[in-house]
Amino acid sequence: MPATTIHFIRHGKVYNPDHLLYERLPGFHLSTIGARMAQATADYIARSPQMNTVAAVYCSPLDRTRETAGIILEALNKTRGERGEEPLEAITDDRIIEAGNEFRGTRIGHGEGALWRNGNWKLVRNLWTPSWGESYRHIAQRVGEFAQETVRQYAGRQIIAVSHESPIWSYRHLLETGHPEHNMLLRHTALASITSITYDSDTGEMLSITYVDPAKDVR
């Protein structure tokens, strides 16, 4: 049967000296280490006979994912150029953006962001919902809509989607268990890692999920 694979890639480490919960805020870019993480993953993709044939590269509209996608595209387009193929450009899609969070811009445990101040404790009464922002079910739903549309559009091809930890894991958890709710402390989505989900191109049914962490040794 024809199969389509979407390679969901988490962005690299972010420069965040004030340790803020940056969520969807602008101005948070890859750190030097984060850029090296993205480069390690980009090199892995460029060397892979499967992944370097991707038909499109999507990314969340946030700075850190756009920058990660840019590093990946630079390596990927070099390989494409050697084959005489036209370069690809990043396509942004809001459906794979970071999860919404009521603590954005604060330092959890410090100052006004402390969980015990200003009634903040009410926002963390349920770790499985989560009660502090966008629900895991809604996150997984929007990522799933992106995935199904992409599978139909690029039937039989390989696709890259640069996103964030919560969207990638919530969607994966839904596919594997039937529900998106999970313990956020048990996610398995390292920075610059690749979660590859393969679908039946005709039905959109998930066939397999694989995971690799090309940047695990980057320091």
Side-chain angles (χ1 to χ4, degrees):
M1 64 183 72
T4 305
T5 300
I6 303 178
H7 305 282
F8 288 95
I9 300 174
R10 187 182 175 192
H11 61 81
K13 186 178 179 64
V14 172
Y15 180 70
N16 184 20
D18 295 325
H19 304 288
L20 298 179
L21 181 62
Y22 40 79
E23 192 235 24
R24 298 178 181 176
L25 295 175
F28 285 88
H29 303 275
L30 293 181
S31 65
T32 301
I33 294 176
R36 291 204 299 267
M37 287 177 165
Q39 189 63 60
T41 298
D43 292 342
Y44 176 89
I45 292 169
R47 292 192 302 267
S48 168
Q50 178 187 31
M51 294 190 68
N52 68 25
T53 62
V54 297
V57 174
Y58 286 84
C59 66
S60 153
L62 299 179
D63 294 321
R64 55 195 182 272
T65 43
R66 292 168 64 94
E67 291 165 359
T68 300
I71 292 171
I72 290 171
L73 279 166
E74 185 175 356
L76 183 59
N77 283 334
K78 181 179 179 181
T79 299
R80 290 177 62 86
E82 293 170 353
R83 296 196 297 248
E85 300 170 356
E86 293 295 318
L88 296 175
E89 295 183 1
I91 305 168
T92 59
D93 196 303
D94 289 340
R95 291 173 294 183
I96 54 175
I97 199 171
E98 178 63 286
N101 194 309
E102 296 301 322
F103 287 107
R104 72 182 67 83
T106 64
R107 295 179 64 191
I108 300 300
H110 300 274
E112 295 301 309
L115 299 183
W116 58 88
R117 292 190 177 180
N118 300 327
N120 286 340
W121 60 270
K122 297 177 182 178
L123 296 175
V124 292
R125 63 186 183 276
N126 189 334
L127 297 180
W128 293 83
T129 304
S131 52
W132 57 85
E134 184 181 11
S135 72
Y136 291 136
R137 184 159 297 279
H138 184 263
I139 296 167
Q141 179 182 0
R142 58 178 168 84
V143 177
E145 290 173 354
F146 162 81
Q148 289 300 313
E149 180 181 300
T150 305
V151 167
R152 291 192 300 271
Q153 184 175 356
Y154 298 96
R157 308 295 298 277
Q158 307 281 318
I159 304 298
I160 284 174
V162 185
S163 185
H164 309 265
E165 181 180 38
S166 182
I168 295 172
W169 186 258
S170 297
Y171 177 54
R172 174 179 178 173
H173 202 266
L174 173 64
L175 293 177
E176 291 184 319
T177 69
H179 61 87
E181 291 78 20
H182 61 275
N183 185 333
M184 62 187 298
L185 302 178
L186 300 178
R187 292 172 180 162
H188 190 52
T189 316
L191 291 163
S193 63
I194 306 172
T195 301
S196 301
I197 305 178
T198 299
Y199 308 80
D200 181 313
S201 300
D202 295 329
T203 66
E205 180 182 356
M206 184 268 291
L207 300 176
S208 67
I209 299 177
T210 60
Y211 174 85
V212 65
D213 184 6
K216 64 181 182 299
D217 296 323
V218 174
R219 298 291 183 269

